[in-house]
Amino acid sequence: MATDDGLKVFFMTAQLMEEDLDAIEQDLTLDLGRRRNTSTGEAADYYPQIEHVFRAEAKAMAPHYEVFYSLERTIRTLVADSLEAADGTGWWNDPNRVPPRIKEDCENRLKKEEDTGVTLRSEDPLDFSTFGELGQIITNNWDVFGALFKSEKAVTRIMANLNTLRGPIAHCTLLAEDEVVRLRLSVRDWFRQME
């Protein structure tokens, strides 16, 4: 029984030490190399060769990317579902719903991706709209979206703020501390418009 108790104490002590090392790594943005890379594939073989500062920045930016990704997907779904509910499945081809230039640009981007031979990210042309174009579709269809939001001007402003914040997130640069706060507030503002 003494051996079992000794093993328990040993494993508990090891676990506590691991937690302390986790905290040190996080506080000092260090990588002590204690964890094995759980990624698979050839890219994972090269990950340790990437400078630590870039890996630390990527880790810091990951939550902001997750927030923006989720929000943007939510907005795209809201647009598609709302316009389909208003006009049926043919809403994309209605020039009163989707400005012809946006429709053409989205379909050209889809075709360009198709021509590369890679797996398409989507077959839905709306998924090829820029965030700015997405905002334009919303404001151009205020007869539909006005019932969902409190103010067209507020939605336009919020979408513009989000579009600006999207830049560093989508293009692999750090989001400044003030902009992290602005991102949180903009997401809150978006959902507050829907209350």
Side-chain angles (χ1 to χ4, degrees):
M1 206 43 122
T3 304
D4 287 344
D5 289 340
L7 283 173
K8 287 179 186 176
V9 169
F10 173 78
F11 286 118
M12 294 276 288
T13 303
Q15 182 62 38
L16 291 171
M17 289 174 57
E18 284 290 322
E19 289 176 10
D20 288 343
L21 287 171
D22 287 344
I24 290 169
E25 283 182 322
Q26 185 171 2
D27 290 345
L28 300 176
T29 60
L30 292 175
D31 181 1
L32 299 176
R34 300 171 22 252
R35 290 181 191 81
R36 289 190 148 176
N37 192 343
T38 56
S39 302
T40 57
E42 187 176 317
D45 295 338
Y46 296 102
Y47 190 70
Q49 297 176 45
I50 297 171
E51 292 180 45
H52 172 72
V53 68
F54 298 141
R55 294 187 320 218
E57 288 175 0
K59 189 174 185 176
M61 286 299 293
H64 312 309
Y65 174 82
E66 184 178 351
V67 166
F68 207 97
Y69 178 95
S70 302
L71 178 65
E72 187 169 330
R73 295 297 301 162
T74 298
I75 294 171
R76 288 182 189 282
T77 300
L78 176 72
V79 167
D81 290 351
S82 298
L83 292 174
E84 186 173 329
D87 289 352
T89 57
W91 68 268
W92 178 257
N93 295 312
D94 182 345
N96 294 319
R97 291 295 184 205
V98 181
R101 182 69 187 169
I102 291 177
K103 181 179 186 293
E104 180 183 338
D105 288 347
C106 292
E107 290 173 352
N108 285 342
R109 289 182 202 116
L110 189 154
K111 177 70 172 138
K112 184 177 179 182
E113 190 168 298
E114 190 175 59
D115 288 344
T116 65
V118 299
T119 304
L120 284 178
R121 67 180 113 158
S122 172
E123 292 184 9
D124 183 353
L126 182 64
D127 286 335
F128 290 84
S129 64
T130 65
F131 196 75
E133 290 169 340
L134 200 57
Q136 231 182 320
I137 292 170
I138 291 171
T139 56
N140 284 2
N141 292 286
W142 200 251
D143 61 308
V144 172
F145 294 101
L148 301 174
F149 297 103
K150 294 177 182 177
S151 165
E152 182 177 359
K153 284 183 182 180
V155 168
T156 301
R157 182 193 57 79
I158 294 164
M159 289 293 286
N161 283 348
L162 288 167
N163 199 28
T164 300
L165 292 164
R166 185 183 191 278
I169 296 168
H171 298 285
C172 302
T173 56
L174 280 175
L175 197 57
E177 190 176 322
D178 286 349
E179 303 317 308
V180 170
V181 173
R182 199 175 322 278
L183 175 61
R184 288 185 191 131
L185 291 173
S186 295
V187 171
R188 286 181 191 164
D189 289 345
W190 171 265
F191 287 107
R192 191 176 303 117
Q193 279 297 305
M194 299 175 75
E195 291 175 348

